[in-house]
Amino acid sequence: MGGFITFITDLQNLLSVIVGVLVFATAVTLTGSMNGGAKLDDRMKAVSVRREELRRKSRQAIAEQGPGGLRHTDEGFKKRVVDQLNLVKLIEDPKVAEKMAQAGLRGPKPLTTFYFFRFSLPFVFFIIVALYLFVLKDFGLPLMIRVAICMAAAMIGFYGPNIYLANRIQKRRTSIMQAFPDALDLLLICVEAGMSIEAAIQKVSQEIGPSSIDLAEELSLLSAELSYLPDRRMAYEGLAKRTNHPGVKSVATAMTQAETYGTPLGSALRVMAKENREMRMSAAEKKAAALPAQLTVPMILFFLPVLFIVILTPAIISIQDTMKGG
């Protein structure tokens, strides 16, 4: 025991032990790096096997849930009417599915509802207006005028779903683009902090929800597509198609190029965030510049008559008093 204590307390022996440990650690590190490729391949294979197992279990669970599972199905009255009358070919619109995605309506039910109402609303509007004009009250209008009003009501019913869809697309695009520059700033911070692009997009979708629910939904869908689609470029292109805005399209193109050619993603996001912020500012300036022209008609109809009444009424009263006194 005394010899061991003497050996430990000797400075030269202690330095020798430390040097030996360091040499052994260096040798282990070098040999470990040589086998790193094989270990990485084994780990990647294990991850791939685990992923396929989870996907298989997920598909099995969805299949066991039946029609009420995650897959959207439509077996209602509107679906039967659309199928029996073959409205998809009768009222064929090649861009209706793309418009539905831009409006945030996904699955077969919104598409079936669109075709059903586009077919039925012209008849419903025509019958209601015809009953009102020909049965309840004709307002003394000639026959051809009443027929023309009924036909106009049918036309409104036919184009009504398209007008509703266009308005919903515009509102959703406005909501997305108002929060999109801020989302790019948050995405830039996450990427530069070391997060992967999937994790960064998922984190930004959670943080941007209070500002724009539509943008949060699109980012969550983008994160899911990046995880499951075989080509990541398809996910970015899908985001560009669903928003149909030049700012989002440029960002999707920049992110695709960054992953394809290895360009720094942070620099691309910084430039895209600046450009989208400038686009948002220019859109606000454009609305402000168009405001005087838009206010011309309301001012002529509402402000000027009131202004003339306020200015001329005292003069008219004075003239009437003068004429009565004379």
Side-chain angles (χ1 to χ4, degrees), residues 1 3 21 35 50 75 78 83 87 109 139 148 159 185:
M1 186 66 180
V21 171
N35 298 327
R50 179 59 178 168
E75 301 295 338
K78 291 179 288 186
D83 291 341
L87 297 182
K109 286 187 177 181
F139 295 100
Y159 289 105
D185 290 334

Side-chain angles (χ1 to χ4, degrees), residues 91 93-118 160-166 168-170 172-173 176 214 217-218 221 238 241-244:
I91 317 175
D93 190 350
K95 295 184 178 181
V96 65
E98 185 177 344
K99 291 180 180 178
M100 286 290 177
Q102 293 174 9
L105 304 173
R106 302 180 181 86
K109 286 187 177 181
L111 188 61
T112 302
T113 303
F114 175 80
Y115 280 120
F116 176 81
F117 280 109
R118 195 172 183 189
N162 280 339
I163 296 174
Y164 168 78
L165 192 61
R168 178 159 181 159
I169 291 172
Q170 183 61 36
R172 192 168 186 270
R173 186 181 301 152
I176 290 175
D214 298 321
E217 180 185 4
E218 288 296 334
L221 184 58
K241 289 181 180 179
R242 290 192 302 270
T243 53
N244 193 24

